[in-house]
Coordinates of all heavy atoms in Angstrom, one line a residue:
S1 N 166.0 -50.3 -19.3 CA 164.8 -49.6 -19.6 C 163.6 -50.6 -19.7 O 163.8 -51.7 -20.2 CB 165.0 -49.0 -21.0 OG 163.7 -48.5 -21.5
V2 N 162.5 -50.3 -19.1 CA 161.4 -51.1 -19.0 C 160.5 -51.0 -20.3 O 160.2 -49.9 -20.7 CB 160.5 -50.8 -17.8 CG1 159.3 -51.7 -17.7 CG2 161.3 -50.9 -16.5
G3 N 160.2 -52.1 -21.0 CA 159.5 -52.1 -22.2 C 158.0 -51.8 -21.9 O 157.4 -52.3 -20.9
K4 N 157.4 -51.1 -22.8 CA 155.9 -50.9 -22.7 C 155.2 -52.1 -23.3 O 155.2 -52.4 -24.4 CB 155.5 -49.7 -23.6 CG 156.2 -48.4 -23.0 CD 155.8 -47.2 -23.9 CE 156.5 -45.9 -23.3 NZ 156.1 -44.7 -24.1
D5 N 154.5 -52.8 -22.3 CA 153.9 -54.1 -22.7 C 152.4 -54.1 -22.6 O 151.7 -55.1 -22.8 CB 154.4 -55.2 -21.8 CG 154.1 -55.0 -20.3 OD1 153.8 -53.9 -20.0 OD2 154.2 -56.0 -19.6
S6 N 151.8 -52.9 -22.3 CA 150.3 -52.8 -22.1 C 149.8 -51.7 -22.9 O 150.5 -50.7 -23.2 CB 150.0 -52.7 -20.6 OG 150.4 -53.8 -19.9
N7 N 148.5 -51.8 -23.2 CA 147.8 -50.7 -24.0 C 146.7 -50.0 -23.1 O 146.1 -50.6 -22.3 CB 147.1 -51.3 -25.2 CG 148.0 -51.8 -26.2 OD1 148.9 -51.1 -26.6 ND2 147.9 -53.1 -26.6
N8 N 146.6 -48.7 -23.3 CA 145.6 -47.9 -22.7 C 144.7 -47.4 -23.9 O 145.0 -46.5 -24.5 CB 146.1 -46.7 -22.0 CG 145.0 -45.9 -21.3 OD1 143.9 -45.9 -21.7 ND2 145.4 -45.2 -20.3
P9 N 143.5 -48.1 -24.1 CA 142.7 -47.8 -25.3 C 142.1 -46.4 -25.1 O 141.8 -45.7 -26.1 CB 141.7 -48.9 -25.3 CG 141.7 -49.5 -24.0 CD 143.0 -49.3 -23.4
H10 N 141.8 -45.9 -23.9 CA 141.2 -44.6 -23.7 C 142.1 -43.5 -24.2 O 141.6 -42.6 -24.9 CB 140.9 -44.4 -22.2 CG 140.2 -43.1 -21.9 ND1 138.9 -42.9 -22.2 CD2 140.7 -41.9 -21.4 CE1 138.6 -41.6 -21.9 NE2 139.6 -41.1 -21.4
F11 N 143.4 -43.6 -23.9 CA 144.3 -42.5 -24.4 C 145.1 -43.0 -25.7 O 145.9 -42.3 -26.1 CB 145.3 -42.2 -23.3 CG 144.7 -41.4 -22.2 CD1 144.5 -42.0 -21.0 CD2 144.3 -40.1 -22.3 CE1 143.9 -41.3 -19.9 CE2 143.7 -39.4 -21.3 CZ 143.5 -40.0 -20.1
K12 N 144.8 -44.2 -26.2 CA 145.4 -44.7 -27.3 C 147.0 -44.7 -27.2 O 147.7 -44.1 -28.0 CB 145.0 -44.0 -28.6 CG 143.5 -44.2 -28.9 CD 143.0 -43.5 -30.1 CE 141.6 -43.7 -30.2 NZ 140.9 -42.6 -30.9
S13 N 147.4 -45.2 -26.0 CA 148.8 -45.2 -25.7 C 149.3 -46.5 -25.1 O 148.5 -47.3 -24.8 CB 149.1 -44.0 -24.7 OG 148.5 -44.3 -23.5
R14 N 150.6 -46.7 -25.0 CA 151.2 -47.9 -24.4 C 151.9 -47.5 -23.2 O 152.3 -46.3 -23.0 CB 152.2 -48.5 -25.4 CG 151.4 -49.1 -26.7 CD 152.4 -49.8 -27.6 NE 153.3 -50.8 -27.1 CZ 152.9 -52.0 -26.7 NH1 151.7 -52.4 -26.8 NH2 153.8 -52.8 -26.2
Y15 N 152.0 -48.4 -22.2 CA 152.7 -48.2 -21.0 C 153.3 -49.4 -20.4 O 152.9 -50.5 -20.9 CB 151.7 -47.6 -19.9 CG 150.6 -48.5 -19.5 CD1 150.7 -49.3 -18.4 CD2 149.4 -48.6 -20.2 CE1 149.7 -50.2 -18.0 CE2 148.4 -49.5 -19.9 CZ 148.6 -50.3 -18.7 OH 147.6 -51.1 -18.3
A16 N 154.2 -49.3 -19.5 CA 154.9 -50.4 -18.9 C 154.0 -50.8 -17.7 O 153.8 -50.0 -16.8 CB 156.3 -50.1 -18.5
S17 N 153.6 -52.1 -17.6 CA 152.8 -52.6 -16.5 C 153.6 -52.7 -15.3 O 154.8 -52.7 -15.3 CB 152.1 -53.9 -16.9 OG 153.2 -54.9 -17.0
L18 N 152.9 -52.9 -14.1 CA 153.6 -53.2 -12.9 C 154.4 -54.4 -13.0 O 155.6 -54.5 -12.5 CB 152.6 -53.3 -11.8 CG 153.2 -53.7 -10.4 CD1 154.2 -52.6 -9.9 CD2 152.0 -53.8 -9.4
N19 N 153.9 -55.5 -13.6 CA 154.7 -56.7 -13.8 C 156.0 -56.5 -14.6 O 157.0 -57.1 -14.3 CB 153.9 -57.8 -14.4 CG 153.0 -58.5 -13.4 OD1 153.3 -58.5 -12.2 ND2 151.9 -59.1 -13.8
A20 N 155.9 -55.6 -15.6 CA 157.1 -55.3 -16.4 C 158.2 -54.6 -15.6 O 159.3 -55.0 -15.6 CB 156.7 -54.4 -17.6
H21 N 157.7 -53.7 -14.7 CA 158.7 -53.1 -13.8 C 159.2 -54.0 -12.8 O 160.5 -54.0 -12.5 CB 158.0 -51.9 -13.0 CG 157.8 -50.7 -13.9 ND1 158.7 -49.8 -14.1 CD2 156.7 -50.3 -14.5 CE1 158.3 -48.8 -14.9 NE2 157.0 -49.1 -15.2
L22 N 158.4 -54.9 -12.2 CA 158.9 -55.9 -11.3 C 159.9 -56.9 -11.9 O 160.8 -57.3 -11.3 CB 157.7 -56.7 -10.6 CG 156.8 -55.8 -9.7 CD1 155.6 -56.6 -9.3 CD2 157.6 -55.4 -8.5
D23 N 159.6 -57.3 -13.2 CA 160.5 -58.2 -13.9 C 161.9 -57.5 -14.0 O 162.9 -58.2 -13.8 CB 160.0 -58.6 -15.3 CG 158.8 -59.5 -15.2 OD1 158.6 -60.1 -14.1 OD2 158.1 -59.6 -16.2
E24 N 161.9 -56.3 -14.4 CA 163.2 -55.6 -14.5 C 163.9 -55.4 -13.2 O 165.1 -55.6 -13.1 CB 163.0 -54.2 -15.2 CG 162.7 -54.2 -16.6 CD 163.8 -54.6 -17.5 OE1 165.0 -54.3 -17.2 OE2 163.6 -55.3 -18.5
A25 N 163.2 -55.1 -12.2 CA 163.8 -54.9 -10.8 C 164.3 -56.2 -10.3 O 165.4 -56.3 -9.8 CB 162.7 -54.4 -9.8
D26 N 163.6 -57.3 -10.5 CA 164.0 -58.6 -10.1 C 165.3 -59.1 -10.8 O 166.2 -59.6 -10.2 CB 162.9 -59.7 -10.3 CG 161.9 -59.7 -9.1 OD1 162.2 -59.1 -8.1 OD2 160.8 -60.2 -9.3
A27 N 165.4 -58.8 -12.1 CA 166.6 -59.1 -12.9 C 167.8 -58.4 -12.3 O 168.9 -59.0 -12.2 CB 166.4 -58.8 -14.4
A28 N 167.6 -57.1 -12.1 CA 168.7 -56.3 -11.5 C 169.1 -56.8 -10.1 O 170.3 -56.9 -9.8 CB 168.4 -54.8 -11.5
L29 N 168.2 -57.1 -9.3 CA 168.5 -57.6 -7.9 C 169.1 -58.9 -8.0 O 170.1 -59.2 -7.3 CB 167.2 -57.7 -7.1 CG 166.5 -56.3 -6.7 CD1 165.1 -56.6 -6.2 CD2 167.4 -55.6 -5.7
N30 N 168.7 -59.8 -8.8 CA 169.2 -61.2 -8.9 C 170.7 -61.1 -9.4 O 171.5 -62.0 -8.9 CB 168.4 -62.0 -9.9 CG 167.1 -62.4 -9.3 OD1 166.9 -62.5 -8.1 ND2 166.2 -62.8 -10.2
T31 N 171.1 -60.2 -10.2 CA 172.4 -60.0 -10.6 C 173.4 -59.8 -9.4 O 174.5 -60.2 -9.5 CB 172.6 -58.8 -11.6 OG1 171.8 -59.0 -12.7 CG2 174.0 -58.5 -12.0
H32 N 172.9 -59.2 -8.4 CA 173.7 -59.0 -7.2 C 173.3 -59.9 -6.0 O 173.7 -59.6 -4.9 CB 173.5 -57.5 -6.8 CG 173.9 -56.6 -7.9 ND1 175.2 -56.3 -8.2 CD2 173.2 -55.8 -8.8 CE1 175.3 -55.5 -9.2 NE2 174.1 -55.2 -9.6
G33 N 172.6 -61.0 -6.3 CA 172.3 -62.0 -5.3 C 171.3 -61.5 -4.3 O 171.2 -61.9 -3.1
L34 N 170.4 -60.6 -4.8 CA 169.3 -60.1 -3.9 C 168.0 -60.5 -4.4 O 167.8 -60.8 -5.6 CB 169.4 -58.5 -3.9 CG 170.7 -57.9 -3.5 CD1 170.7 -56.4 -3.7 CD2 170.9 -58.1 -2.0
M35 N 167.0 -60.6 -3.5 CA 165.7 -60.9 -3.9 C 164.7 -60.0 -3.2 O 165.0 -59.5 -2.1 CB 165.3 -62.3 -3.6 CG 165.4 -62.8 -2.2 SD 165.0 -64.5 -2.1 CE 165.9 -64.9 -0.6
L36 N 163.6 -59.7 -3.8 CA 162.5 -58.8 -3.3 C 161.3 -59.7 -2.9 O 160.8 -60.5 -3.6 CB 162.1 -57.8 -4.3 CG 160.9 -57.0 -4.0 CD1 161.2 -56.0 -2.8 CD2 160.4 -56.2 -5.2
L37 N 160.9 -59.5 -1.6 CA 159.7 -60.2 -1.1 C 158.7 -59.1 -0.7 O 159.1 -58.0 -0.2 CB 160.0 -61.0 0.1 CG 161.2 -62.0 0.0 CD1 161.5 -62.6 1.3 CD2 160.8 -63.1 -1.0
Q38 N 157.4 -59.3 -1.0 CA 156.4 -58.3 -0.6 C 155.2 -59.0 0.0 O 154.1 -59.0 -0.6 CB 156.0 -57.5 -1.8 CG 157.1 -56.5 -2.3 CD 156.7 -55.5 -3.3 OE1 156.3 -55.9 -4.4 NE2 156.8 -54.3 -3.0
P39 N 155.4 -59.5 1.2 CA 154.2 -60.1 1.9 C 153.2 -59.0 2.4 O 153.6 -57.9 2.6 CB 154.9 -60.8 3.1 CG 156.1 -60.0 3.4 CD 156.6 -59.5 2.0
T40 N 152.0 -59.4 2.5 CA 150.9 -58.6 3.0 C 150.5 -59.1 4.3 O 150.8 -60.2 4.7 CB 149.7 -58.6 2.0 OG1 149.2 -59.9 1.9 CG2 150.1 -58.0 0.7
G41 N 149.8 -58.2 5.1 CA 149.4 -58.7 6.4 C 148.4 -57.7 7.0 O 148.0 -56.7 6.4
L42 N 148.0 -58.0 8.2 CA 147.1 -57.2 9.0 C 147.7 -56.8 10.3 O 148.3 -57.7 11.0 CB 145.7 -57.9 9.2 CG 144.8 -58.1 8.0 CD1 143.6 -58.9 8.5 CD2 144.3 -56.7 7.5
T43 N 147.6 -55.6 10.7 CA 148.0 -55.2 12.1 C 147.0 -55.7 13.1 O 145.9 -56.2 12.7 CB 148.2 -53.7 12.2 OG1 146.9 -53.1 12.1 CG2 149.1 -53.1 11.2
E44 N 147.4 -55.6 14.4 CA 146.5 -56.0 15.4 C 145.2 -55.2 15.4 O 144.1 -55.7 15.8 CB 147.1 -55.9 16.8 CG 148.2 -56.9 17.0 CD 148.9 -56.8 18.4 OE1 148.3 -56.1 19.2 OE2 149.9 -57.4 18.6
S45 N 145.2 -54.0 14.9 CA 144.0 -53.2 14.8 C 143.2 -53.4 13.5 O 142.3 -52.7 13.2 CB 144.4 -51.7 15.0 OG 145.3 -51.3 13.9
G46 N 143.7 -54.3 12.7 CA 143.0 -54.7 11.4 C 143.3 -53.9 10.2 O 142.6 -54.0 9.2
V47 N 144.4 -53.1 10.3 CA 144.8 -52.3 9.1 C 145.7 -53.2 8.2 O 146.7 -53.8 8.7 CB 145.6 -51.0 9.6 CG1 146.2 -50.3 8.4 CG2 144.7 -50.2 10.4
S48 N 145.4 -53.3 6.9 CA 146.2 -54.1 6.0 C 147.5 -53.3 5.7 O 147.5 -52.1 5.7 CB 145.4 -54.4 4.8 OG 145.0 -53.3 4.1
F49 N 148.6 -54.0 5.3 CA 149.8 -53.4 5.0 C 150.6 -54.3 4.0 O 150.3 -55.5 3.9 CB 150.7 -53.1 6.2 CG 151.2 -54.4 6.9 CD1 152.4 -55.0 6.5 CD2 150.4 -55.0 7.9 CE1 152.8 -56.1 7.2 CE2 150.8 -56.1 8.5 CZ 152.0 -56.7 8.2
V50 N 151.5 -53.7 3.3 CA 152.5 -54.4 2.4 C 153.9 -54.1 3.0 O 154.2 -53.0 3.3 CB 152.4 -53.9 1.0 CG1 153.5 -54.5 0.1 CG2 151.1 -54.1 0.4
E51 N 154.6 -55.2 3.2 CA 156.0 -55.0 3.6 C 156.9 -55.4 2.4 O 156.7 -56.4 1.8 CB 156.3 -56.0 4.8 CG 157.7 -55.9 5.3 CD 158.0 -56.8 6.5 OE1 157.2 -57.8 6.7 OE2 159.0 -56.6 7.2
S52 N 157.9 -54.5 2.2 CA 158.9 -54.8 1.1 C 160.2 -55.2 1.8 O 160.6 -54.5 2.7 CB 159.1 -53.6 0.3 OG 157.9 -53.2 -0.5
V53 N 160.7 -56.3 1.4 CA 161.9 -56.9 2.1 C 162.9 -57.2 1.0 O 162.6 -57.9 0.0 CB 161.6 -58.2 2.9 CG1 162.9 -58.6 3.6 CG2 160.5 -58.0 3.8
I54 N 164.1 -56.6 1.0 CA 165.2 -57.0 0.1 C 166.2 -57.9 0.9 O 166.7 -57.4 1.9 CB 165.9 -55.8 -0.5 CG1 164.9 -55.0 -1.3 CG2 167.1 -56.2 -1.3 CD1 165.4 -53.7 -1.9
V55 N 166.4 -59.1 0.4 CA 167.2 -60.1 1.1 C 168.5 -60.4 0.3 O 168.4 -60.6 -0.9 CB 166.4 -61.4 1.4 CG1 167.3 -62.4 2.2 CG2 165.1 -61.1 2.1
H56 N 169.6 -60.4 0.9 CA 170.8 -60.9 0.3 C 170.9 -62.4 0.5 O 170.9 -62.9 1.6 CB 172.1 -60.3 0.9 CG 173.4 -60.7 0.2 ND1 174.3 -61.5 0.8 CD2 173.8 -60.4 -1.0 CE1 175.3 -61.7 0.0 NE2 175.0 -61.0 -1.2
A57 N 170.8 -63.2 -0.6 CA 170.6 -64.6 -0.5 C 171.7 -65.4 0.2 O 171.5 -66.3 0.9 CB 170.4 -65.2 -2.0
E58 N 172.9 -64.9 -0.1 CA 174.1 -65.7 0.5 C 174.2 -65.4 2.0 O 174.4 -66.3 2.8 CB 175.3 -65.2 -0.2 CG 176.6 -66.1 0.2 CD 177.8 -65.7 -0.6 OE1 177.6 -65.4 -1.8 OE2 178.9 -65.7 0.0
S59 N 174.1 -64.2 2.5 CA 174.3 -63.9 3.9 C 173.1 -63.9 4.7 O 173.1 -64.0 5.9 CB 175.0 -62.5 4.0 OG 174.1 -61.4 3.7
G60 N 171.9 -63.7 4.1 CA 170.7 -63.6 4.8 C 170.4 -62.2 5.4 O 169.3 -62.0 6.0
Q61 N 171.3 -61.3 5.2 CA 171.0 -59.9 5.6 C 169.8 -59.4 4.8 O 169.6 -59.7 3.7 CB 172.2 -59.0 5.4 CG 173.4 -59.4 6.3 CD 174.6 -58.5 6.0 OE1 174.9 -58.1 4.9 NE2 175.2 -58.1 7.1
F62 N 169.1 -58.5 5.5 CA 167.9 -57.9 4.8 C 167.6 -56.5 5.3 O 168.1 -56.1 6.4 CB 166.7 -58.8 5.0 CG 166.2 -58.8 6.4 CD1 165.2 -57.9 6.9 CD2 166.7 -59.7 7.4 CE1 164.8 -58.0 8.2 CE2 166.3 -59.7 8.7 CZ 165.3 -58.8 9.1
I63 N 166.8 -55.8 4.5 CA 166.3 -54.5 4.9 C 164.8 -54.5 4.6 O 164.4 -55.1 3.5 CB 167.0 -53.3 4.2 CG1 166.6 -52.0 4.8 CG2 166.9 -53.4 2.7 CD1 167.4 -50.8 4.3
S64 N 164.0 -53.9 5.4 CA 162.6 -54.0 5.1 C 161.9 -52.7 5.5 O 162.4 -51.9 6.3 CB 161.9 -55.1 5.9 OG 161.9 -54.8 7.3
S65 N 160.7 -52.5 4.9 CA 159.9 -51.3 5.2 C 158.5 -51.7 4.9 O 158.2 -52.6 4.0 CB 160.3 -50.2 4.2 OG 159.5 -49.1 4.4
S66 N 157.5 -51.2 5.7 CA 156.1 -51.5 5.4 C 155.3 -50.2 5.3 O 155.7 -49.2 5.8 CB 155.6 -52.4 6.6 OG 155.6 -51.7 7.8
I67 N 154.2 -50.4 4.6 CA 153.3 -49.2 4.4 C 151.9 -49.7 4.6 O 151.5 -50.7 4.1 CB 153.5 -48.6 3.0 CG1 152.7 -47.4 2.8 CG2 153.2 -49.6 1.9 CD1 153.1 -46.5 1.6
P68 N 151.1 -48.9 5.4 CA 149.7 -49.3 5.6 C 148.9 -49.0 4.4 O 149.3 -48.1 3.6 CB 149.3 -48.5 6.8 CG 150.2 -47.3 6.8 CD 151.5 -47.8 6.1
S69 N 147.8 -49.6 4.3 CA 146.8 -49.4 3.2 C 145.4 -49.3 3.8 O 145.1 -50.1 4.7 CB 146.9 -50.5 2.2 OG 145.8 -50.3 1.2
K70 N 144.6 -48.4 3.3 CA 143.2 -48.3 3.8 C 142.3 -49.2 2.9 O 141.2 -49.4 3.2 CB 142.7 -46.9 3.7 CG 142.7 -46.2 2.4 CD 142.1 -44.8 2.4 CE 142.1 -44.2 1.1 NZ 141.6 -42.8 1.1
Y71 N 143.0 -49.9 1.9 CA 142.2 -50.8 1.1 C 142.6 -52.2 1.4 O 143.6 -52.5 1.9 CB 142.6 -50.5 -0.4 CG 142.3 -49.1 -0.8 CD1 143.3 -48.2 -0.9 CD2 141.0 -48.7 -1.0 CE1 143.1 -46.9 -1.3 CE2 140.7 -47.3 -1.3 CZ 141.8 -46.5 -1.5 OH 141.5 -45.2 -1.8
S72 N 141.7 -53.1 1.1 CA 142.0 -54.6 1.2 C 143.0 -55.0 0.2 O 142.9 -54.6 -1.0 CB 140.7 -55.4 1.0 OG 141.0 -56.7 1.1
I73 N 144.0 -55.7 0.6 CA 145.1 -56.2 -0.2 C 145.0 -57.6 -0.5 O 145.0 -58.4 0.4 CB 146.5 -55.9 0.4 CG1 146.6 -54.4 0.7 CG2 147.6 -56.3 -0.5 CD1 147.8 -54.0 1.5
P74 N 144.9 -58.0 -1.8 CA 144.8 -59.5 -2.1 C 146.1 -60.2 -1.8 O 147.2 -59.6 -2.0 CB 144.4 -59.5 -3.6 CG 144.8 -58.2 -4.1 CD 144.8 -57.2 -3.0
A75 N 146.1 -61.4 -1.4 CA 147.3 -62.2 -1.1 C 147.8 -62.9 -2.3 O 148.1 -64.1 -2.3 CB 147.0 -63.1 0.1
Y76 N 147.9 -62.2 -3.4 CA 148.4 -62.8 -4.7 C 149.4 -61.9 -5.3 O 149.3 -60.7 -5.3 CB 147.3 -63.0 -5.7 CG 147.8 -63.3 -7.0 CD1 148.2 -64.6 -7.4 CD2 147.9 -62.4 -8.0 CE1 148.7 -64.9 -8.6 CE2 148.3 -62.7 -9.3 CZ 148.7 -63.9 -9.6 OH 149.2 -64.2 -10.8
R77 N 150.5 -62.5 -5.8 CA 151.5 -61.8 -6.6 C 152.1 -62.8 -7.5 O 152.4 -63.9 -7.1 CB 152.5 -61.1 -5.8 CG 153.5 -60.3 -6.6 CD 154.6 -59.7 -5.7 NE 155.6 -59.0 -6.4 CZ 156.6 -59.6 -7.1 NH1 156.6 -60.9 -7.2 NH2 157.5 -58.9 -7.7
K78 N 152.4 -62.4 -8.8 CA 153.0 -63.3 -9.7 C 154.3 -63.8 -9.2 O 155.1 -63.0 -8.6 CB 153.2 -62.5 -11.0 CG 153.9 -63.3 -12.1 CD 154.1 -62.4 -13.3 CE 155.4 -62.6 -13.9 NZ 155.8 -61.7 -15.0
S79 N 154.6 -65.1 -9.3 CA 155.8 -65.7 -8.8 C 156.9 -65.5 -9.9 O 156.6 -65.5 -11.0 CB 155.6 -67.2 -8.5 OG 154.7 -67.4 -7.5
F80 N 158.2 -65.4 -9.4 CA 159.3 -65.2 -10.3 C 160.2 -66.4 -10.2 O 160.4 -67.0 -9.3 CB 160.1 -64.0 -10.0 CG 159.3 -62.7 -10.2 CD1 158.7 -62.1 -9.2 CD2 159.1 -62.2 -11.5 CE1 157.9 -61.0 -9.4 CE2 158.3 -61.1 -11.7 CZ 157.7 -60.5 -10.6

């Protein structure tokens, strides 16, 4: 279960941030020797995208998927 680590003062409520969800996902993946990578990039036509890649550390096998974005994507993500 992901803990609620952030506050929403407008609705006077708490919620689990994206980093809290990523921390939980990384812990579960690491248990099985997997890691999540999410590089960003631009297509030849200038469309930005995020690619999600799950890699098995020992064998190097991976699965990936990408999704385009109509918004500019910053090249920053918290390191684990």
Side-chain angles (χ1 to χ4, degrees):
S1 170
V2 179
K4 296 178 180 180
D5 64 342
S6 299
N7 292 308
N8 181 337
H10 181 73
F11 291 108
K12 298 179 181 150
S13 62
R14 293 183 49 76
Y15 66 95
S17 67
L18 176 59
N19 280 336
H21 284 278
L22 290 172
D23 288 343
E24 286 291 323
D26 279 342
L29 290 168
N30 288 337
T31 298
H32 301 285
L34 302 170
M35 61 183 152
L36 172 66
L37 306 172
Q38 290 189 301
T40 59
L42 288 173
T43 64
E44 290 181 13
S45 61
V47 175
S48 60
F49 66 91
V50 175
E51 182 179 17
S52 295
V53 185
I54 297 176
V55 181
H56 184 249
E58 187 175 324
S59 70
Q61 291 180 322
F62 68 93
I63 187 169
S64 68
S65 177
S66 62
I67 186 166
S69 173
K70 63 181 178 178
Y71 304 104
S72 175
I73 301 170
Y76 167 80
R77 183 181 176 286
K78 180 180 138 184
S79 297
F80 295 99

